[in-house]
Structure formats: C-alpha cells, structure tokens
Amino acid sequence: MSVVRSLPLRTAPIPGEALDSWLEALAAQLRTPMGDLLCEVGLPDQHRPHGWTPSTRHTWLTLLAPDEAEHLSAATGLARATLMR
C-alpha cells in the first residue's frame, strides 16, 4: 500500500456517528467520490477489485483493523483510540 497522506480538509465525526457516515461526510466535504477517499485513507474499496478480497470485503465497516486505524488516523488526524470505538 502507498503512503497515506494527511487530508487537506478535516471534519470530526459527530458523537456516535457510524464510520461509513463520517467517511461519506468527508468525501462530500472534499468533493471526491467515496471510493477515491477510501483509497486515500487506506481502506479497501469494494468497487476496486485490487483493494479487497471476499474475506476482507466491508470488514472495516464492522471492525477496523489496527493497520486500517493507523492509516485512517494519519489521514484524518483523529486518534486511533477514537477510530477504534
């Protein structure tokens, strides 16, 4: 996987907001397709076959892996502990 860079704009999630909802809000703020954002923050995108396998499809929706949390934290500036809740 390539190096994950910090996003130019950041939006904190609303308390209790689902991960996918927050990522959709980020994508809208950045005016970028959700699939492009997922790639940029280090999460597999189901619409890009090279980014997932049947065993990893949508896994991040229910349980963020430690490396996914690390990449997402680097991109968004949120603490890994916040993302793992």
Side-chain angles (χ1 to χ4, degrees):
M1 178 173 292
S2 62
V3 175
V4 176
R5 297 174 23 190
S6 179
L7 295 175
L9 300 172
R10 297 180 177 186
T11 298
I14 297 168
E17 184 173 17
L19 180 59
D20 60 329
S21 172
W22 173 61
L23 290 171
E24 286 280 357
L26 277 175
Q29 181 183 24
L30 293 165
R31 297 181 183 182
T32 190
M34 178 71 158
D36 290 348
L37 177 66
L38 292 177
C39 289
E40 288 300 314
V41 300
L43 296 176
D45 175 8
Q46 67 172 350
H47 301 295
R48 296 172 192 236
H50 63 274
W52 65 274
T53 64
S55 64
T56 61
R57 184 178 182 189
H58 295 298
T59 304
W60 59 265
L61 284 173
T62 55
L63 179 63
L64 202 56
D67 63 325
E68 293 171 335
E70 184 176 328
H71 294 300
L72 192 53
S73 175
T76 64
L78 286 178
R80 282 182 61 189
T82 301
L83 295 167
M84 298 297 285
R85 291 184 194 160

